[in-house]
Amino acid sequence: MDIKFIKFDVKGDERGSLIALEEYKNIPFQIKRVYFIFDTKSDVSRGYHAHKNLKQVLIPVKGSCKILLENYEETEEVLLSDQRCGLYIDALIWRVMYEFSDDCVLLVLASDYYNENDYIRNYDQFRYEIKQLITSGDNPT
Ligand code: T46
């Protein structure tokens, strides 16, 4: 599955810690949008979609949550709990986020502007689209 953890360098001294995020350096795309998710209740799950083209890096700058990721042939559950690590998620990966801690602030860096047309919000359509890609030989796994 085309996901990976990116470990950030922490610039720390006696005053505290600092992490810098730079496009094409520690973030593998041009950053066109930044948003953050907070105040999500622990019994709430979010996501339930894939993106046609968008690539993102998710960073739990505070607290934690879990994310379930699915491509054509695999599913993987990942715990996001380390602010020194971002999770890169490529396009065409179904995601569901859940078990948000009360204090969770999830920062997301995105490779493009918000565009509802880039979302695949129907699970059957997601399965259909990745199957089409696999059978056409353009393997997204
Ligand atoms: C994703 C996961 C990790 C905007 O107007 N602009 C934005 O940039 C975003 C991200 C959302 N919105 C609107 C669309 C909805 O009316 O904010 C509302 C909540 O968005 P959504 O239900 O898509 O939120 P999540 O948490 O299910 O998903 C979000 C991102 O949308 C998505 O790209 O990968 O976080």
Side-chain angles (χ1 to χ4, degrees), residues 22-141:
E22 297 179 290
E23 60 190 19
Y24 300 127
K25 290 189 173 176
N26 54 1
I27 302 300
F29 49 75
Q30 184 184 9
I31 302 163
K32 288 206 177 159
R33 178 166 50 108
V34 177
Y35 61 93
F36 51 97
I37 296 170
F38 60 103
D39 279 353
T40 297
K41 300 282 177 267
S42 59
D43 58 350
V44 166
S45 47
R46 322 179 51 118
Y48 297 97
H49 59 256
H51 283 283
K52 294 175 190 165
N53 294 300
L54 191 74
K55 301 169 193 317
Q56 300 191 104
V57 172
L58 280 57
I59 306 164
V61 290
K62 192 167 170 60
S64 65
C65 69
K66 287 182 180 165
I67 182 163
L68 188 69
L69 300 152
E70 177 180 340
N71 68 359
Y72 185 60
E73 54 195 8
E74 302 170 86
T75 61
E76 197 168 330
E77 185 189 62
V78 172
L79 172 67
L80 298 175
S81 61
D82 183 352
Q83 65 214 159
R84 294 162 301 177
C85 278
L87 179 69
Y88 169 81
I89 306 178
D90 209 336
L92 293 171
I93 295 177
W94 189 261
R95 79 281 319 262
V96 178
M97 291 108 63
Y98 50 96
E99 289 187 27
F100 285 81
S101 63
D102 287 343
D103 60 346
C104 183
V105 180
L106 185 63
L107 180 73
V108 184
L109 310 181
S111 65
D112 213 338
Y113 303 115
Y114 175 69
N115 175 9
E116 191 55 41
N117 292 329
D118 189 67
Y119 284 73
I120 306 170
R121 292 194 185 268
N122 178 291
Y123 182 74
D124 293 338
Q125 189 199 341
F126 164 69
R127 295 299 313 175
Y128 175 79
E129 292 208 9
I130 47 174
K131 190 167 180 210
Q132 294 295 107
L133 278 169
I134 297 278
T135 49
S136 71
D138 194 3
N139 192 335
T141 56

